[in-house]
Amino acid sequence: MSRKLEDLRPDVREKAEKFLEIAKSMGIDVLVTCTYRSKEEQAILYAQGRTSPGKIVTNALPGQSKHNNMEPDGQYPASLAFDIVPMIGGKPQWDSSNPVWKVLGGIGKSVGLNWAGDWKRFKEYPHFEVDK
């Protein structure tokens, strides 16, 4: 699993950089927790809460996640999505009821990202992506 912005497709990387820049200008410290994820790593996450211990964190099977995207030649990651967490007092703030999540969702949408916190069925507040 990667946290490197370089593993995002270039247009997505530009949006992520702008997102982080705006958040920082608003005094919000953000940690990128995932950019590219292999299909094997996706399978492990998908199993969580289903066939392995833990809470369900994704509905995407391997190959269905926008974190799994590769360059057409299959040699390099080109993720269409990234996950973040706001840091408050140096600690990750995973509680989605914290108003900072809505602010971050708005920032993401303002730079052209889709925010999974708006999804109707399975809200993923940390997840931002592009369509294609």
Side-chain angles (χ1 to χ4, degrees):
M1 194 168 335
S2 172
R3 296 178 12 193
K4 298 186 301 185
L5 295 183
E6 295 79 17
D7 286 339
L8 295 169
R9 195 174 68 187
D11 61 309
V12 181
R13 181 174 48 238
E14 287 177 26
K15 292 176 190 304
E17 289 169 345
K18 186 69 173 166
F19 168 87
L20 294 169
E21 178 184 310
I22 294 170
K24 184 177 182 179
S25 76
M26 296 177 72
I28 303 171
D29 186 21
V30 174
L31 175 68
V32 174
T33 60
C34 181
T35 55
Y36 175 75
R37 184 182 305 136
S38 71
K39 290 179 183 174
E40 294 78 18
E41 292 163 332
Q42 188 68 33
I44 292 167
L45 279 183
Y46 185 80
Q48 188 175 313
R50 292 178 175 90
T51 58
S52 66
K55 181 180 162 189
I56 291 176
V57 295
T58 185
N59 280 336
L61 290 162
Q64 293 178 340
S65 171
K66 294 198 176 176
H67 290 284
N68 304 148
N69 199 58
M70 296 287 287
E71 289 288 345
D73 64 8
Q75 296 296 312
Y76 300 102
S79 178
L80 303 178
F82 62 95
D83 296 337
I84 57 98
V85 64
M87 304 293 288
I88 299 177
K91 298 187 188 285
Q93 178 55 252
W94 293 108
D95 180 0
S96 62
S97 68
N98 189 303
V100 72
W101 284 105
K102 297 276 186 191
V103 174
L104 291 169
I107 295 169
K109 292 186 284 187
S110 78
V111 300
L113 295 163
N114 298 321
W115 179 45
D118 283 338
W119 291 353
K120 302 291 183 232
R121 294 188 60 192
F122 188 78
K123 293 183 184 293
E124 287 186 67
Y125 285 80
H127 183 86
F128 292 85
E129 65 178 38
V130 296
D131 289 327
K132 294 181 181 182

